Amino acid sequence: MSLPPISFEFFPPQTPEGAEKLTAARKRLAALKPEFFSCTFGAGGSTQDRTLDTIKLIHAEGHQAAPHLSCVGGTRENISALLKTYKEMGIKRIVALRGDMPSGMASIGEFHYANELVSFIRAQTGEHFHIEVAAYPEFHPQANSAREDMLNFKRKINAGANSAITQYFYNADAYFRFVDETRKLGVTAPIVPGIMPIVRYSQLARFSDTCGAEIPRWMRKTMEGYGDDVESVQAFGRDAVTQLCEKLIAGGAPALHFYTLNQANASIDILNRLGYRA
Ligand code: FAD
């Protein structure tokens, strides 16, 4: 089985200690030769400087760095300035998102949906950036229907996105079906599965409820049964996520994108089991 390219996602650390830990994690992950490292962007620009700092570090280390850019609460002027900075730094890839309105933020700003951001990036910078957008195999929680969500996804691709990274999921069939159905709608861009290793069950369960990702009942029940036994949760998680990745690779996934939560161990364990070596 040939192994597809991989990439890793981080969030911008909040403290100098967090930044140090992330540099150490990145060094270990870099040994697996990922295609790129990406860094998230707090909606409304709340992490703009920290995202930029993290991207500068990744870029300076000689890796391909992909900043996320979310448009909700943003202005054309502000986003244009950020695009200029990234372009001048030599950044070639951007993950373009709508984001979610932070509570307390009054105005949605000048962009309503990610397709508008993709069009804006293309209008401002031509073909300079490889643009990634988000895809939802189990559908976005605010979507009116599965079909509308897929049509909205297609709208982002038609606006000029090159490829997509999915929300995480633990049911491979949802991914394969999403790929098949969007192909029928005429989408040809690669759709890369987003992989969430399991480190802490309670945190994952909370997050999954808000972002609309399903943890299948058999997985929930098993992990709930382990209670505070973190080691058993992690051992189970490693097995389940490795098997998921095996199915995705066998089914032709074009790459794997790991949500690392700034930790290296879980992703490295899974990738080693799949046959990726430093
Ligand atoms: P959109 O594609 O705009 O879709 C949002 C909703 O609106 C969907 O329900 C869609 O069906 C609907 N819709 C889309 N276009 C239209 C239209 N033209 N008319 C009517 N309805 C429409 N969030 C962050 O804040 N920062 C990050 O760095 C970040 N990184 C992410 C990375 C990945 C790979 C993924 C999968 C998600 C990420 N998110 C991030 C979360 C994301 O911002 C949220 O899921 C957000 O709610 C939707 O963003 P989107 O870009 O998918 O939005």
Side-chain angles (χ1 to χ4, degrees):
M1 193 162 62
S2 75
L3 296 171
I6 50 174
S7 53
F8 297 111
E9 179 171 318
F10 304 128
F11 59 83
Q14 296 198 13
T15 60
E17 298 76 52
E20 251 174 57
K21 278 190 188 157
L22 178 56
T23 300
R26 195 164 54 242
K27 202 168 168 192
R28 295 179 57 214
L29 292 164
L32 293 168
K33 300 180 190 62
E35 201 178 7
F36 64 91
F37 290 115
S38 80
C39 182
T40 61
F41 183 89
S46 54
T47 69
Q48 183 169 312
D49 294 343
R50 286 188 284 124
T51 299
L52 180 58
D53 290 345
T54 308
I55 289 295
K56 278 184 185 160
L57 276 177
I58 297 170
H59 188 63
E61 288 166 0
H63 309 302
Q64 190 179 159
H68 293 212
L69 181 51
S70 65
C71 59
V72 77
T75 63
R76 285 184 173 74
E77 196 185 345
N78 173 260
I79 288 176
S80 181
L82 202 47
L83 290 171
K84 187 163 175 278
T85 304
Y86 286 138
K87 193 173 168 189
E88 284 171 2
M89 276 171 64
I91 299 299
K92 287 291 186 63
R93 188 185 282 259
I94 279 192
V95 186
L97 304 139
R98 184 195 69 175
D100 294 305
M101 281 287 281
S103 56
M105 185 177 265
S107 154
I108 192 158
E110 295 177 14
F111 297 90
H112 297 90
Y113 296 106
N115 66 291
E116 296 164 25
L117 176 62
V118 175
S119 300
F120 184 72
I121 298 173
R122 283 285 174 247
Q124 293 280 303
T125 60
E127 294 303 311
H128 177 81
F129 292 108
H130 177 111
I131 304 178
E132 308 264 7
V133 289
Y136 300 85
E138 293 171 339
F139 307 111
H140 187 267
Q142 290 159 2
N144 288 334
S145 69
R147 185 172 165 78
E148 269 188 50
D149 206 29
M150 287 190 286
L151 290 171
N152 287 330
F153 170 64
K154 182 181 172 179
R155 206 193 299 264
K156 292 193 277 197
I157 300 291
N158 288 352
N162 301 91
S163 50
I165 301 172
T166 75
Q167 182 58 278
Y168 67 88
F169 56 87
Y170 295 103
N171 180 353
D173 288 342
Y175 167 78
F176 291 124
R177 188 171 163 84
F178 183 85
V179 172
D180 284 351
E181 292 298 309
T182 53
R183 294 280 177 260
K184 283 184 207 157
L185 293 174
V187 172
T188 56
I191 300 172
V192 173
I195 308 296
M196 181 71 91
I198 299 174
V199 179
R200 291 229 316 269
Y201 172 66
S202 53
Q203 185 192 32
L204 180 72
R206 257 197 322 276
F207 189 55
S208 301
D209 286 344
T210 53
C211 72
E214 188 187 54
I215 306 175
R217 182 181 161 84
W218 68 274
M219 289 181 66
R220 273 187 184 266
K221 284 282 173 197
T222 307
M223 289 188 280
E224 280 164 13
Y226 292 131
D228 294 336
D229 178 358
V230 178
E231 269 181 32
S232 294
V233 169
Q234 292 184 352
F236 169 78
R238 275 196 297 276
D239 284 348
V241 176
T242 304
Q243 283 163 18
L244 171 69
C245 292
E246 282 167 350
K247 277 190 204 158
L248 294 170
I249 295 172
L256 300 175
H257 179 80
F258 279 75
Y259 295 106
T260 68
L261 303 181
N262 291 9
Q263 296 181 18
N265 284 350
S267 301
I268 290 176
D269 267 356
I270 294 165
L271 286 162
N272 284 343
R273 285 163 175 234
L274 293 169
Y276 290 83
R277 293 281 174 265

